[in-house]
Amino acid sequence: MFKATIAERDVVGHDGEIHGCSSIIMVVPESDEVVVVLSNDQEVLAGEVAEDILSRL
């Protein structure tokens, strides 16, 4: 579990890896926004994808 500031939002999240997969969930408590990225490709950087999505909301 982690806390961070992403795209000027305070975020709480959790990332994980299972062999061959990559995932992350980020929650923005102030606005009830949630971003979930699940990939069946371990080379995909789920955290970077989630940050990109949050920056576009």
Side-chain angles (χ1 to χ4, degrees):
M1 198 139 198
F2 63 87
K3 290 183 179 182
T5 301
I6 299 172
E8 299 180 14
R9 295 176 172 101
D10 290 328
V11 174
V12 178
H14 186 275
D15 59 353
E17 288 188 22
I18 297 174
H19 182 69
C21 298
S22 177
S23 65
I24 194 163
I25 182 171
M26 291 185 180
V27 178
V28 183
E30 292 178 0
S31 62
D32 292 330
E33 295 169 310
V34 177
V35 174
V36 177
V37 176
L38 303 171
S39 173
N40 63 351
D41 184 347
Q42 194 168 357
E43 299 301 315
V44 171
L45 301 175
E48 288 183 14
V49 174
E51 286 182 30
D52 187 46
I53 292 169
L54 275 176
S55 71
R56 296 168 189 258
L57 294 178

